[in-house]
Amino acid sequence: ASGAHVPALVIGTGYGGSVAALRLAQAGVDVHMIEMGMAWDTPGSDGKIFCNTREPDYRSYWLRTRTKAPLNYFLGLPIDRDIPRHTGILDAEEFGGITVYQGRGVGGGSLVNGGMAVTPKRENFGAVLPSVDADEMYDVYYPRANAGLGVGTVDPAWFDSTACYQYSRVGRKHAQRSGFPFVFVPDVYDWDYMEQEAAGTVPRSALAGEILYGNNHGKKSLQQTYLARARATGRVTVSPLHRVTSVAPAAGRYTVVIDQLNTTGDTTAVKTVTADRVFFAAGSVGTSKLLVRLKATGVLPGLNGEIGRGWGDNGNVMCGRANHLWDPTGALQSAIPCSGIDNWAAGGAFAEVAPLPTGIETFASFYLSITRNPHRAEFSWNAAAGRVDLNWQTSWKRPSIDMARTIFDRINSREGTIYRTDLFGVYKIWGDHLTYHPLGGAVLNRATDNYGRLTAYPGLYVVDGALIPGNTTVNPFVTITALAERNIERIIATDL
Ligand code: FAD
């Protein structure tokens, strides 16, 4: 309620926010979480909480009147469709040179993502977070994060026999014939549940093409893991459809201004609460946008000059390959990827063998590559337009394409195959207009101290992907979770 006071306020309910809330609550602190998206705990008229990738409806997108599917063409035909404007689950946020996909709702990105839960190789960690003690991370915090998230790996014997991973097996064969290391990628999906889906004994989710707009079964989002444990402490409350717009110092505390939203995105009430501590966990983009605006408009002028800097796209780039007729990838494809091709050391690319869960045979192999893209962008306040801009250029994906080609040019040449040109436009090979993995904007040990404290303002912290300087060499959420575990442990021990 307006006028209330809370000891700890957490902005956002993704990975960083959920870790912070759980650990603070376990330490005896009452926590209020503010989430701009919906609760995603109530079925729609079709009896399902989440809509299907093949039939995106009002639940699919955050305040758009037309879908903006990451793979926006098929056989050269645009597949986007009109939808009613609604506070849907996936935000395709458009900046000048890039569309940044993000989850909206209680659970943040964990609601929409593929659940791929990858710990970076230890030899690569120094480049990911140079100021963090790697021994501590690999001995304590990565194991803690993996346990808290419920990470597991596909049973290799089942993988070899199930129809729904035919596409992955084709990916493996082509990778290995070109001499690339093929790896299984861990995931938070309940693998036993997926085997039952394949056996036909439970309702299908991964095998019904549920991805991007939520999974109705099987995937362990934060709602089933960290947030469930946080709520069970009895000390954590969550306010969905509330968006933080300001955090201002006020007599040793912070005044937090919050818009209450309805499901068409209008502000229905403005509330003000005070908090002793505020944890920015609005995601790389959400946290950066808030901090850049609050610094530039004089609300938090003491934030340092690193605010808004060091943003990267985790080198994301997508492509498809057209297989020969003797290499079908399967009409039934698990929407949850389970394998990858690791050419990081030699070529700067780690490629996920991704599904195309269209329900029909496509003879296509599809990949999301994570690459060592060197470019970093900066958020800045555009006073004239009253918004925060990001100066990423589409042409900055060029190094990512070149790195991905170290894998796929060789495979194409070995297999006598070509790239698909019909998935991202008319004769367009590379999905270079987007990222799923925004990282940075309030980088650890630069914009904050080495534990996420915004030191000019005691009691303000960053705990999410904004801390990570643009690249994690693999999918990011395990690293975001592990870093949050490390930082909140220190903050609880020394600041409370
Ligand atoms: P988020 O999870 O983004 O949470 C931030 C939350 O804050 C959101 O719920 C948002 O609505 C809320 N918020 C923002 N601003 C405000 C505000 N002003 N007031 C109130 N609330 C606010 N990563 C992997 O590791 N593996 C994968 O397989 C994978 N697949 C992905 C697939 C897709 C389609 C997408 C979009 C992402 C994927 N990711 C994946 C990335 C991963 O989901 C993100 O890296 C992760 O969610 C970031 O965590 P976070 O805690 O930084 O913030």
Side-chain angles (χ1 to χ4, degrees):
S2 208
H5 174 78
V6 292
L9 185 137
V10 177
I11 309 171
T13 56
Y15 294 91
S18 298
V19 170
L22 171 63
R23 301 308 176 196
L24 287 164
Q26 288 175 331
V29 180
D30 287 331
V31 181
H32 198 123
M33 303 182 83
I34 309 293
E35 170 55 54
M36 68 193 265
M38 305 206 309
W40 300 107
D41 57 1
T42 312
S45 55
D46 60 356
K48 294 184 171 165
I49 294 176
F50 305 110
C51 72
N52 193 281
T53 321
R54 293 172 200 142
E55 295 289 330
D57 62 19
Y58 66 99
R59 290 168 287 197
S60 57
Y61 282 87
W62 177 257
L63 302 178
R64 301 185 79 91
T65 53
R66 194 162 170 80
T67 64
K68 194 173 172 69
L71 263 145
N72 47 344
Y73 278 73
F74 190 64
L75 301 173
L77 298 172
I79 60 169
D80 284 316
R81 54 161 83 175
D82 291 339
I83 43 167
R85 183 181 156 91
H86 187 80
T87 46
I89 199 161
L90 184 63
D91 194 354
E93 188 169 0
E94 294 177 77
F95 292 98
I98 193 164
T99 300
V100 183
Y101 285 87
Q102 296 152 90
R104 294 280 174 250
V106 176
S110 79
L111 295 166
V112 299
N113 66 32
M116 283 176 278
V118 195
T119 300
K121 278 189 174 166
R122 188 164 177 151
E123 63 261 36
N124 296 332
F125 183 79
V128 175
L129 285 164
S131 63
V132 172
D133 180 342
D135 287 340
E136 270 184 14
M137 288 294 282
Y138 284 81
D139 292 348
V140 180
Y141 303 110
Y142 273 118
R144 190 176 293 173
N146 276 283
L149 294 164
V151 176
T153 305
V154 65
D155 170 13
W158 183 70
F159 172 84
D160 274 327
S161 63
T162 181
C164 70
Y165 281 124
Q166 167 80 16
Y167 73 95
S168 266
R169 293 195 296 274
V170 169
R172 174 175 64 185
K173 180 173 78 176
H174 290 171
Q176 291 180 338
R177 291 210 296 213
S178 285
F180 293 115
F182 171 89
V183 291
F184 283 117
V185 172
D187 202 281
V188 298
Y189 203 86
D190 181 334
W191 293 102
D192 292 333
Y193 188 88
M194 200 191 297
E195 291 192 27
Q196 292 169 51
E197 290 180 52
T201 54
V202 294
R204 285 182 164 184
S205 178
L207 271 53
E210 288 184 354
I211 185 79
L212 291 179
Y213 312 133
N215 287 76
N216 286 297
H217 315 277
K219 198 173 84 183
K220 287 170 276 179
S221 78
L222 290 165
Q223 291 189 351
Q224 282 84 37
T225 58
Y226 275 95
L227 285 171
R229 292 170 65 201
R231 287 188 209 256
T233 65
R235 290 190 178 275
V236 178
T237 53
V238 183
S239 293
L241 287 173
H242 282 71
R243 177 168 54 200
V244 171
T245 61
S246 179
V247 178
R253 293 176 166 180
Y254 292 92
T255 301
V256 183
V257 182
I258 305 166
D259 284 351
Q260 182 170 7
L261 307 176
N262 64 17
T263 56
T264 44
D266 312 306
T267 300
T268 55
V270 179
K271 302 176 179 177
T272 301
V273 301
T274 57
D276 298 327
R277 294 169 202 286
V278 178
F279 294 82
F280 287 82
S284 159
V285 174
T287 291
S288 301
K289 285 198 312 191
L290 273 171
L291 292 176
V292 164
R293 178 168 54 79
L294 295 174
K295 175 175 163 61
T297 56
V299 180
L300 295 174
L303 293 174
N304 77 25
E306 291 290 329
I307 292 294
R309 297 211 174 134
W311 186 87
D313 69 339
N314 211 26
N316 280 190
V317 67
M318 294 177 177
C319 67
R321 294 179 37 257
N323 291 310
H324 296 296
L325 293 183
W326 58 82
D327 270 336
T329 47
L332 174 67
Q333 301 197 358
S334 171
I336 298 297
C338 72
S339 65
I341 303 168
D342 186 357
N343 196 37
W344 189 266
F350 177 79
E352 311 288 3
V353 180
L356 274 178
T358 56
I360 55 169
E361 176 58 55
T362 62
F363 297 98
S365 286
F366 179 54
Y367 307 92
L368 165 62
S369 296
I370 293 159
T371 65
R372 194 162 42 212
N373 188 306
H375 290 293
R376 296 294 178 268
E378 185 174 346
F379 292 95
S380 60
W381 175 238
N382 180 337
R387 60 158 197 262
V388 174
D389 290 334
L390 178 67
N391 69 350
W392 181 272
Q393 311 290 311
T394 307
S395 62
W396 290 1
K397 290 278 195 185
R398 194 70 238 176
S400 292
I401 293 172
D402 291 340
M403 289 170 193
R405 287 182 60 184
T406 67
I407 298 176
F408 304 115
D409 279 7
R410 200 203 296 180
I411 290 179
N412 277 338
S413 137
R414 169 70 179 75
E415 301 299 325
T417 51
I418 57 170
Y419 289 102
R420 291 285 286 232
T421 57
D422 60 338
L423 300 175
F424 300 103
V426 181
Y427 208 84
K428 184 164 169 12
I429 290 175
W430 297 98
D432 60 358
H433 57 296
L434 82 174
T435 186
Y436 286 174
H437 300 164
L439 293 167
V443 169
L444 188 79
N445 213 31
R446 292 195 235 151
T448 72
D449 77 353
N450 204 22
Y451 292 90
R453 299 181 184 96
L454 291 161
T455 45
Y457 296 99
L460 295 191
Y461 307 89
V462 176
V463 287
D464 59 14
L467 291 171
I468 296 175
N471 199 293
T472 54
T473 74
V474 293
N475 317 63
F477 75 61
V478 175
T479 297
I480 294 170
T481 305
L483 184 64
E485 289 279 21
R486 166 192 180 269
N487 293 352
I488 199 70
E489 186 176 88
R490 172 64 64 103
I491 289 163
I492 288 169
T494 59
D495 293 15
L496 296 189

